[in-house]
Amino acid sequence: MTRVLLSEDHPQYVTEAHGCRFTGADGREYLDLMCGWGPVVLGYAHPAVRRAADEQTRLGDCVNGAAPVMVELAELLVDTVPSADWAMFAKNGTDATTTCVTIARAATGRRKVLTAHGAYHGAVPWCTPGKSGVTVEDRAHVDHFEYNDIASLGAAVDRAGGDLAAIVVCPFRHDVRRDQELADPEFARAVRALCNRTGAAMILDDVRCGFRLSLGGSWEPLGVRPDLAAWSKAMANGYALAAVTGIAALRDAASDVYVTGSFWYSAVSMAASVATLTELRETDALVRMDRAGQRLRDGLDAQAKRHGLEVNQTGPVQMPLLTFAGDPEFTVATRWAREAVTRGVYLHPTHNWFLSAAHTESDIDEILDRTEDAFAAIARSVGGLSPN
Ligand code: PMP
């Protein structure tokens, strides 16, 4: 199992969170760059989202039937996401990706599913990165390709032959413990073309990136639209919710598959999602997040240079990762993250970070004040040279 655990100096329990800060059980306040590992896009305890959730709590949450807000949310999603003709809801990202695969198999009557080597799509046997408790049979119909490698994708499609149900792909390569890699537009177009040619469903796993990079779907800027998309994390600003959206041609298959859960119809998270998506649509939240991310990236680059440290900053600026050159085991990155957290900045050495619309320029400057000292501590310990 890949370890993504943080240092002993990272607080394990959190008592309170507001905006881009939280208080640990140790009573210390932290400037946060993880946003609850992605779900928080407007900032912790955002007032409009809380108001909507409180109002729906008063009306009813988990009742015998769905609340009208579910229809409102489905219509809002269909209006926001150009590839969506319908929407259905669940709780976690794993529910959404697994339901996409089930719908693709139902629609095509085929079995094979292709995913990129190292990509994370959830924590159930067909896709978990863990091996414990997983049988060979659980993975019998899942094959892999290299992200951004059209030849490798083509070979995997050939291996699946007439049994290819779906290609599942993330908007960019954000595997843990490696530099991030943006999608090559040619690769994205090849995924689409191969699905068109074979009749397989193209599934975009937008669980991590969705509603952070581009409101209508993370490959909208590339002009590549999926048949099915999996959403979760940011869609309700921290309330538990996931969604599958799809094209009209897959509506019947989506209606036919049996999927449900005790809490899938809970209305509070749906009301929170309507408020979140409305805020994202009607304000410049995404633009501000992009600006804050760029300020952070530029600031960190300048600091690393000043201290004679060679770093790589990869991925979109709103979902950044900083690694050190010549640091394959992330030893220096782990030490730097530890130096940062002891100075009150919570970030991760091997997993991408998340910015939110609550990160103002002055918050970023405050973060940079502290990372400056963290870099200085690293430079002192490695003699100001590249870590190798
Ligand atoms: N897909 C991607 C791309 C993810 O990042 C995650 C969660 N990290 C999942 C699926 C699974 O989501 P969840 O943990 O909510 O089940």
Side-chain angles (χ1 to χ4, degrees):
M1 174 72 194
T2 307
R3 280 171 62 86
V4 289
L5 303 180
L6 286 159
S7 79
E8 282 165 21
D9 289 322
H10 284 79
Q12 299 293 318
Y13 292 90
V14 173
T15 50
E16 241 185 89
H18 300 276
C20 65
R21 291 160 202 259
F22 68 85
T23 309
D26 54 5
R28 287 192 67 195
E29 187 186 83
Y30 295 87
L31 278 150
D32 182 36
L33 283 172
M34 290 306 288
C35 289
W37 299 74
V40 174
V41 69
L42 295 171
Y44 293 111
H46 187 273
V49 179
R50 268 178 55 192
R51 255 195 318 277
D54 288 351
E55 173 60 10
Q56 189 61 48
T57 303
R58 198 180 61 74
L59 293 171
D61 182 22
C62 189
V63 195
N64 303 348
V69 72
M70 184 172 88
V71 179
E72 192 188 340
L73 176 58
E75 288 174 351
L76 187 59
L77 273 174
V78 166
D79 192 56
T80 306
V81 176
S83 66
D85 292 315
W86 50 265
M88 56 196 280
F89 301 102
K91 278 289 145 203
N92 290 289
T94 307
D95 301 335
T97 54
T98 304
T99 300
C100 284
V101 166
T102 309
I103 293 169
R105 285 176 168 154
T108 58
R110 306 175 189 167
R111 297 176 296 177
K112 304 289 179 194
V113 173
L114 306 182
T115 69
H117 280 293
Y120 186 69
H121 297 297
V124 282
W126 78 268
C127 59
T128 175
K131 292 197 170 59
S132 189
V134 177
T135 67
V136 171
E137 288 79 8
D138 287 324
R139 306 290 266 266
H141 298 296
V142 181
D143 195 0
H144 304 289
F145 56 88
E146 278 305 312
Y147 197 91
N148 271 343
D149 182 336
I150 296 174
S152 149
L153 177 65
V157 168
D158 289 346
R159 284 195 298 275
D163 205 12
L164 183 62
I167 301 175
V168 188
V169 68
C170 288
F172 71 93
R173 187 168 189 178
H174 45 50
D175 312 353
V176 76
R177 288 181 73 84
R178 54 165 290 141
D179 286 338
Q180 305 194 94
E181 206 180 304
L182 297 180
D184 176 348
E186 281 301 315
F187 170 75
R189 285 192 281 274
V191 176
R192 182 65 273 173
L194 284 165
C195 286
N196 292 350
R197 202 191 75 205
T198 58
M202 181 189 147
I203 299 173
L204 188 66
D205 179 351
D206 229 338
V207 168
R208 194 178 305 188
C209 307
F211 307 115
R212 221 177 207 99
L213 304 182
S214 165
L215 269 191
S218 298
W219 273 4
E220 270 304 297
L222 304 184
V224 176
R225 289 191 179 154
D227 300 313
L228 294 163
W231 311 88
S232 187
K233 292 200 187 281
M235 70 179 297
N237 201 49
Y239 287 83
L241 190 64
V244 171
T245 57
I247 58 169
L250 294 174
R251 189 193 303 268
D252 287 348
S255 307
D256 268 353
V257 299
Y258 183 84
V259 284
T260 187
S262 297
F263 300 102
W264 284 21
Y265 291 90
S266 297
V268 168
S269 59
M270 295 181 186
S273 184
V274 169
T276 303
L277 297 182
T278 303
E279 190 75 13
L280 290 171
R281 280 165 60 114
E282 293 180 358
T283 69
D284 61 348
L286 264 69
V287 175
R288 282 187 285 114
M289 223 176 336
D290 187 69
R291 229 183 277 141
Q294 194 61 53
R295 192 176 183 88
L296 180 65
R297 182 158 297 185
D298 293 344
L300 291 173
D301 255 340
Q303 292 178 344
K305 275 201 189 74
R306 244 190 328 275
H307 291 288
L309 297 164
E310 195 184 328
V311 298
N312 303 313
Q313 295 200 72
T314 53
V317 294
Q318 313 88 322
M319 298 174 64
L321 177 66
L322 182 145
T323 61
F324 290 79
D327 184 30
E329 292 307 314
F330 302 91
T331 320
V332 182
T334 301
R335 262 167 43 208
W336 181 70
R338 196 164 187 168
E339 296 291 350
V341 83
T342 58
R343 291 164 175 83
V345 172
Y346 191 104
L347 51 77
H348 203 289
T350 61
H351 185 291
N352 75 272
W353 319 337
F354 298 89
L355 270 79
S356 77
H359 287 85
T360 64
E361 291 192 352
S362 74
D363 293 322
I364 297 296
D365 292 346
E366 210 177 316
I367 289 170
L368 288 169
D369 275 347
R370 299 171 193 207
T371 53
E372 173 82 42
D373 291 345
F375 277 124
I378 293 296
R380 274 195 301 278
S381 66
V382 297
L385 298 168
S386 158
N388 56 351

mmCIF file with all atom_site columns, all heavy atoms in Angstrom, residues 92-95 97 120-122 170 174 205 207-208 232-233, ligand 1:
data_model
loop_
_atom_site.group_PDB
_atom_site.id
_atom_site.type_symbol
_atom_site.label_atom_id
_atom_site.label_alt_id
_atom_site.label_comp_id
_atom_site.label_asym_id
_atom_site.label_entity_id
_atom_site.label_seq_id
_atom_site.pdbx_PDB_ins_code
_atom_site.Cartn_x
_atom_site.Cartn_y
_atom_site.Cartn_z
_atom_site.occupancy
_atom_site.B_iso_or_equiv
_atom_site.pdbx_formal_charge
_atom_site.auth_seq_id
_atom_site.auth_comp_id
_atom_site.auth_asym_id
_atom_site.auth_atom_id
_atom_site.pdbx_PDB_model_num
ATOM   1   N N   . ASN A 1 92  ? -19.560 8.990  -2.274  1.00 0.00 ? 92  ASN A N   1
ATOM   2   C CA  . ASN A 1 92  ? -18.103 9.108  -2.389  1.00 0.00 ? 92  ASN A CA  1
ATOM   3   C C   . ASN A 1 92  ? -17.646 9.005  -3.840  1.00 0.00 ? 92  ASN A C   1
ATOM   4   O O   . ASN A 1 92  ? -18.370 8.466  -4.687  1.00 0.00 ? 92  ASN A O   1
ATOM   5   C CB  . ASN A 1 92  ? -17.417 8.004  -1.576  1.00 0.00 ? 92  ASN A CB  1
ATOM   6   C CG  . ASN A 1 92  ? -17.577 8.236  -0.088  1.00 0.00 ? 92  ASN A CG  1
ATOM   7   O OD1 . ASN A 1 92  ? -16.979 9.145  0.478   1.00 0.00 ? 92  ASN A OD1 1
ATOM   8   N ND2 . ASN A 1 92  ? -18.411 7.446  0.534   1.00 0.00 ? 92  ASN A ND2 1
ATOM   9   N N   . GLY A 1 93  ? -16.425 9.455  -4.064  1.00 0.00 ? 93  GLY A N   1
ATOM   10  C CA  . GLY A 1 93  ? -15.872 9.364  -5.409  1.00 0.00 ? 93  GLY A CA  1
ATOM   11  C C   . GLY A 1 93  ? -15.838 7.923  -5.907  1.00 0.00 ? 93  GLY A C   1
ATOM   12  O O   . GLY A 1 93  ? -16.096 7.660  -7.087  1.00 0.00 ? 93  GLY A O   1
ATOM   13  N N   . THR A 1 94  ? -15.527 6.992  -5.017  1.00 0.00 ? 94  THR A N   1
ATOM   14  C CA  . THR A 1 94  ? -15.483 5.575  -5.413  1.00 0.00 ? 94  THR A CA  1
ATOM   15  C C   . THR A 1 94  ? -16.853 5.102  -5.908  1.00 0.00 ? 94  THR A C   1
ATOM   16  O O   . THR A 1 94  ? -16.943 4.318  -6.859  1.00 0.00 ? 94  THR A O   1
ATOM   17  C CB  . THR A 1 94  ? -15.019 4.702  -4.228  1.00 0.00 ? 94  THR A CB  1
ATOM   18  O OG1 . THR A 1 94  ? -13.792 5.222  -3.722  1.00 0.00 ? 94  THR A OG1 1
ATOM   19  C CG2 . THR A 1 94  ? -14.816 3.265  -4.638  1.00 0.00 ? 94  THR A CG2 1
ATOM   20  N N   . ASP A 1 95  ? -17.913 5.565  -5.257  1.00 0.00 ? 95  ASP A N   1
ATOM   21  C CA  . ASP A 1 95  ? -19.273 5.225  -5.737  1.00 0.00 ? 95  ASP A CA  1
ATOM   22  C C   . ASP A 1 95  ? -19.438 5.694  -7.179  1.00 0.00 ? 95  ASP A C   1
ATOM   23  O O   . ASP A 1 95  ? -20.014 5.004  -8.026  1.00 0.00 ? 95  ASP A O   1
ATOM   24  C CB  . ASP A 1 95  ? -20.366 5.948  -4.930  1.00 0.00 ? 95  ASP A CB  1
ATOM   25  C CG  . ASP A 1 95  ? -20.345 5.648  -3.447  1.00 0.00 ? 95  ASP A CG  1
ATOM   26  O OD1 . ASP A 1 95  ? -19.860 4.585  -3.065  1.00 0.00 ? 95  ASP A OD1 1
ATOM   27  O OD2 . ASP A 1 95  ? -20.849 6.507  -2.671  1.00 0.00 ? 95  ASP A OD2 1
ATOM   28  N N   . THR A 1 97  ? -17.085 6.534  -9.560  1.00 0.00 ? 97  THR A N   1
ATOM   29  C CA  . THR A 1 97  ? -16.280 5.867  -10.604 1.00 0.00 ? 97  THR A CA  1
ATOM   30  C C   . THR A 1 97  ? -16.799 4.441  -10.837 1.00 0.00 ? 97  THR A C   1
ATOM   31  O O   . THR A 1 97  ? -16.899 3.993  -11.976 1.00 0.00 ? 97  THR A O   1
ATOM   32  C CB  . THR A 1 97  ? -14.786 5.812  -10.211 1.00 0.00 ? 97  THR A CB  1
ATOM   33  O OG1 . THR A 1 97  ? -14.653 5.208  -8.923  1.00 0.00 ? 97  THR A OG1 1
ATOM   34  C CG2 . THR A 1 97  ? -14.177 7.205  -10.187 1.00 0.00 ? 97  THR A CG2 1
ATOM   35  N N   . TYR A 1 120 ? -5.406  6.757  -9.464  1.00 0.00 ? 120 TYR A N   1
ATOM   36  C CA  . TYR A 1 120 ? -6.287  6.395  -8.353  1.00 0.00 ? 120 TYR A CA  1
ATOM   37  C C   . TYR A 1 120 ? -7.738  6.640  -8.744  1.00 0.00 ? 120 TYR A C   1
ATOM   38  O O   . TYR A 1 120 ? -8.094  7.765  -9.131  1.00 0.00 ? 120 TYR A O   1
ATOM   39  C CB  . TYR A 1 120 ? -5.946  7.224  -7.104  1.00 0.00 ? 120 TYR A CB  1
ATOM   40  C CG  . TYR A 1 120 ? -6.724  6.777  -5.888  1.00 0.00 ? 120 TYR A CG  1
ATOM   41  C CD1 . TYR A 1 120 ? -6.450  5.541  -5.300  1.00 0.00 ? 120 TYR A CD1 1
ATOM   42  C CD2 . TYR A 1 120 ? -7.739  7.551  -5.343  1.00 0.00 ? 120 TYR A CD2 1
ATOM   43  C CE1 . TYR A 1 120 ? -7.169  5.102  -4.200  1.00 0.00 ? 120 TYR A CE1 1
ATOM   44  C CE2 . TYR A 1 120 ? -8.463  7.122  -4.234  1.00 0.00 ? 120 TYR A CE2 1
ATOM   45  C CZ  . TYR A 1 120 ? -8.168  5.891  -3.670  1.00 0.00 ? 120 TYR A CZ  1
ATOM   46  O OH  . TYR A 1 120 ? -8.880  5.448  -2.580  1.00 0.00 ? 120 TYR A OH  1
ATOM   47  N N   . HIS A 1 121 ? -8.570  5.605  -8.640  1.00 0.00 ? 121 HIS A N   1
ATOM   48  C CA  . HIS A 1 121 ? -9.992  5.779  -8.944  1.00 0.00 ? 121 HIS A CA  1
ATOM   49  C C   . HIS A 1 121 ? -10.879 5.346  -7.791  1.00 0.00 ? 121 HIS A C   1
ATOM   50  O O   . HIS A 1 121 ? -12.101 5.366  -7.926  1.00 0.00 ? 121 HIS A O   1
ATOM   51  C CB  . HIS A 1 121 ? -10.368 5.001  -10.209 1.00 0.00 ? 121 HIS A CB  1
ATOM   52  C CG  . HIS A 1 121 ? -9.650  5.490  -11.438 1.00 0.00 ? 121 HIS A CG  1
ATOM   53  N ND1 . HIS A 1 121 ? -9.814  6.759  -11.944 1.00 0.00 ? 121 HIS A ND1 1
ATOM   54  C CD2 . HIS A 1 121 ? -8.736  4.886  -12.248 1.00 0.00 ? 121 HIS A CD2 1
ATOM   55  C CE1 . HIS A 1 121 ? -9.051  6.920  -13.023 1.00 0.00 ? 121 HIS A CE1 1
ATOM   56  N NE2 . HIS A 1 121 ? -8.382  5.800  -13.219 1.00 0.00 ? 121 HIS A NE2 1
ATOM   57  N N   . GLY A 1 122 ? -10.274 4.943  -6.663  1.00 0.00 ? 122 GLY A N   1
ATOM   58  C CA  . GLY A 1 122 ? -11.088 4.587  -5.520  1.00 0.00 ? 122 GLY A CA  1
ATOM   59  C C   . GLY A 1 122 ? -10.533 3.419  -4.740  1.00 0.00 ? 122 GLY A C   1
ATOM   60  O O   . GLY A 1 122 ? -9.455  2.892  -5.049  1.00 0.00 ? 122 GLY A O   1
ATOM   61  N N   . CYS A 1 170 ? -8.133  10.253 -15.814 1.00 0.00 ? 170 CYS A N   1
ATOM   62  C CA  . CYS A 1 170 ? -8.186  11.475 -14.998 1.00 0.00 ? 170 CYS A CA  1
ATOM   63  C C   . CYS A 1 170 ? -7.794  12.671 -15.863 1.00 0.00 ? 170 CYS A C   1
ATOM   64  O O   . CYS A 1 170 ? -7.055  12.528 -16.835 1.00 0.00 ? 170 CYS A O   1
ATOM   65  C CB  . CYS A 1 170 ? -7.213  11.363 -13.819 1.00 0.00 ? 170 CYS A CB  1
ATOM   66  S SG  . CYS A 1 170 ? -7.769  10.226 -12.555 1.00 0.00 ? 170 CYS A SG  1
ATOM   67  N N   . HIS A 1 174 ? -2.114  12.790 -11.579 1.00 0.00 ? 174 HIS A N   1
ATOM   68  C CA  . HIS A 1 174 ? -1.861  13.285 -10.224 1.00 0.00 ? 174 HIS A CA  1
ATOM   69  C C   . HIS A 1 174 ? -1.606  12.134 -9.266  1.00 0.00 ? 174 HIS A C   1
ATOM   70  O O   . HIS A 1 174 ? -2.013  12.164 -8.106  1.00 0.00 ? 174 HIS A O   1
ATOM   71  C CB  . HIS A 1 174 ? -2.999  14.187 -9.743  1.00 0.00 ? 174 HIS A CB  1
ATOM   72  C CG  . HIS A 1 174 ? -4.393  13.666 -10.007 1.00 0.00 ? 174 HIS A CG  1
ATOM   73  N ND1 . HIS A 1 174 ? -4.782  12.395 -9.683  1.00 0.00 ? 174 HIS A ND1 1
ATOM   74  C CD2 . HIS A 1 174 ? -5.477  14.264 -10.553 1.00 0.00 ? 174 HIS A CD2 1
ATOM   75  C CE1 . HIS A 1 174 ? -6.054  12.236 -10.026 1.00 0.00 ? 174 HIS A CE1 1
ATOM   76  N NE2 . HIS A 1 174 ? -6.502  13.338 -10.555 1.00 0.00 ? 174 HIS A NE2 1
ATOM   77  N N   . ASP A 1 205 ? -12.678 10.702 -14.901 1.00 0.00 ? 205 ASP A N   1
ATOM   78  C CA  . ASP A 1 205 ? -12.726 10.716 -13.436 1.00 0.00 ? 205 ASP A CA  1
ATOM   79  C C   . ASP A 1 205 ? -12.357 12.128 -12.967 1.00 0.00 ? 205 ASP A C   1
ATOM   80  O O   . ASP A 1 205 ? -11.186 12.455 -12.794 1.00 0.00 ? 205 ASP A O   1
ATOM   81  C CB  . ASP A 1 205 ? -11.757 9.672  -12.872 1.00 0.00 ? 205 ASP A CB  1
ATOM   82  C CG  . ASP A 1 205 ? -11.767 9.668  -11.336 1.00 0.00 ? 205 ASP A CG  1
ATOM   83  O OD1 . ASP A 1 205 ? -12.390 10.579 -10.739 1.00 0.00 ? 205 ASP A OD1 1
ATOM   84  O OD2 . ASP A 1 205 ? -11.142 8.775  -10.748 1.00 0.00 ? 205 ASP A OD2 1
ATOM   85  N N   . VAL A 1 207 ? -13.264 13.374 -10.122 1.00 0.00 ? 207 VAL A N   1
ATOM   86  C CA  . VAL A 1 207 ? -13.503 13.405 -8.677  1.00 0.00 ? 207 VAL A CA  1
ATOM   87  C C   . VAL A 1 207 ? -12.573 14.413 -7.992  1.00 0.00 ? 207 VAL A C   1
ATOM   88  O O   . VAL A 1 207 ? -13.010 15.202 -7.153  1.00 0.00 ? 207 VAL A O   1
ATOM   89  C CB  . VAL A 1 207 ? -13.310 11.995 -8.073  1.00 0.00 ? 207 VAL A CB  1
ATOM   90  C CG1 . VAL A 1 207 ? -13.247 12.039 -6.554  1.00 0.00 ? 207 VAL A CG1 1
ATOM   91  C CG2 . VAL A 1 207 ? -14.436 11.073 -8.527  1.00 0.00 ? 207 VAL A CG2 1
ATOM   92  N N   . ARG A 1 208 ? -11.295 14.414 -8.363  1.00 0.00 ? 208 ARG A N   1
ATOM   93  C CA  . ARG A 1 208 ? -10.338 15.273 -7.672  1.00 0.00 ? 208 ARG A CA  1
ATOM   94  C C   . ARG A 1 208 ? -10.283 16.687 -8.266  1.00 0.00 ? 208 ARG A C   1
ATOM   95  O O   . ARG A 1 208 ? -10.146 17.665 -7.553  1.00 0.00 ? 208 ARG A O   1
ATOM   96  C CB  . ARG A 1 208 ? -8.946  14.638 -7.724  1.00 0.00 ? 208 ARG A CB  1
ATOM   97  C CG  . ARG A 1 208 ? -7.999  15.312 -6.748  1.00 0.00 ? 208 ARG A CG  1
ATOM   98  C CD  . ARG A 1 208 ? -6.618  14.691 -6.725  1.00 0.00 ? 208 ARG A CD  1
ATOM   99  N NE  . ARG A 1 208 ? -6.618  13.256 -6.470  1.00 0.00 ? 208 ARG A NE  1
ATOM   100 C CZ  . ARG A 1 208 ? -5.522  12.541 -6.255  1.00 0.00 ? 208 ARG A CZ  1
ATOM   101 N NH1 . ARG A 1 208 ? -4.344  13.151 -6.223  1.00 0.00 ? 208 ARG A NH1 1
ATOM   102 N NH2 . ARG A 1 208 ? -5.578  11.235 -6.067  1.00 0.00 ? 208 ARG A NH2 1
ATOM   103 N N   . SER A 1 232 ? -17.064 14.296 -7.274  1.00 0.00 ? 232 SER A N   1
ATOM   104 C CA  . SER A 1 232 ? -17.324 14.250 -5.830  1.00 0.00 ? 232 SER A CA  1
ATOM   105 C C   . SER A 1 232 ? -16.631 15.437 -5.182  1.00 0.00 ? 232 SER A C   1
ATOM   106 O O   . SER A 1 232 ? -16.991 16.580 -5.468  1.00 0.00 ? 232 SER A O   1
ATOM   107 C CB  . SER A 1 232 ? -16.886 12.911 -5.227  1.00 0.00 ? 232 SER A CB  1
ATOM   108 O OG  . SER A 1 232 ? -17.299 12.844 -3.881  1.00 0.00 ? 232 SER A OG  1
ATOM   109 N N   . LYS A 1 233 ? -15.635 15.165 -4.358  1.00 0.00 ? 233 LYS A N   1
ATOM   110 C CA  . LYS A 1 233 ? -14.864 16.160 -3.612  1.00 0.00 ? 233 LYS A CA  1
ATOM   111 C C   . LYS A 1 233 ? -15.483 17.556 -3.550  1.00 0.00 ? 233 LYS A C   1
ATOM   112 O O   . LYS A 1 233 ? -16.243 17.863 -2.653  1.00 0.00 ? 233 LYS A O   1
ATOM   113 C CB  . LYS A 1 233 ? -13.445 16.221 -4.153  1.00 0.00 ? 233 LYS A CB  1
ATOM   114 C CG  . LYS A 1 233 ? -12.682 14.923 -3.841  1.00 0.00 ? 233 LYS A CG  1
ATOM   115 C CD  . LYS A 1 233 ? -11.204 15.112 -3.922  1.00 0.00 ? 233 LYS A CD  1
ATOM   116 C CE  . LYS A 1 233 ? -10.450 13.801 -3.785  1.00 0.00 ? 233 LYS A CE  1
ATOM   117 N NZ  . LYS A 1 233 ? -10.332 13.329 -2.414  1.00 0.00 ? 233 LYS A NZ  1
HETATM 118 N N1  . PMP B 2 .   ? -10.909 9.291  -8.153  1.00 0.00 ? 1   PMP B N1  1
HETATM 119 C C1  . PMP B 2 .   ? -9.989  10.236 -7.883  1.00 0.00 ? 1   PMP B C1  1
HETATM 120 C C2  . PMP B 2 .   ? -9.273  10.877 -9.015  1.00 0.00 ? 1   PMP B C2  1
HETATM 121 C C3  . PMP B 2 .   ? -9.713  10.600 -6.562  1.00 0.00 ? 1   PMP B C3  1
HETATM 122 O O1  . PMP B 2 .   ? -8.793  11.533 -6.311  1.00 0.00 ? 1   PMP B O1  1
HETATM 123 C C4  . PMP B 2 .   ? -10.420 9.969  -5.521  1.00 0.00 ? 1   PMP B C4  1
HETATM 124 C C5  . PMP B 2 .   ? -10.175 10.337 -4.075  1.00 0.00 ? 1   PMP B C5  1
HETATM 125 N N2  . PMP B 2 .   ? -8.914  10.739 -3.755  1.00 0.00 ? 1   PMP B N2  1
HETATM 126 C C6  . PMP B 2 .   ? -11.361 8.983  -5.851  1.00 0.00 ? 1   PMP B C6  1
HETATM 127 C C7  . PMP B 2 .   ? -11.594 8.687  -7.171  1.00 0.00 ? 1   PMP B C7  1
HETATM 128 C C8  . PMP B 2 .   ? -12.128 8.257  -4.792  1.00 0.00 ? 1   PMP B C8  1
HETATM 129 O O2  . PMP B 2 .   ? -12.942 9.135  -4.102  1.00 0.00 ? 1   PMP B O2  1
HETATM 130 P P1  . PMP B 2 .   ? -13.440 8.788  -2.619  1.00 0.00 ? 1   PMP B P1  1
HETATM 131 O O3  . PMP B 2 .   ? -12.234 8.782  -1.744  1.00 0.00 ? 1   PMP B O3  1
HETATM 132 O O4  . PMP B 2 .   ? -14.382 9.897  -2.297  1.00 0.00 ? 1   PMP B O4  1
HETATM 133 O O5  . PMP B 2 .   ? -14.130 7.469  -2.679  1.00 0.00 ? 1   PMP B O5  1
#
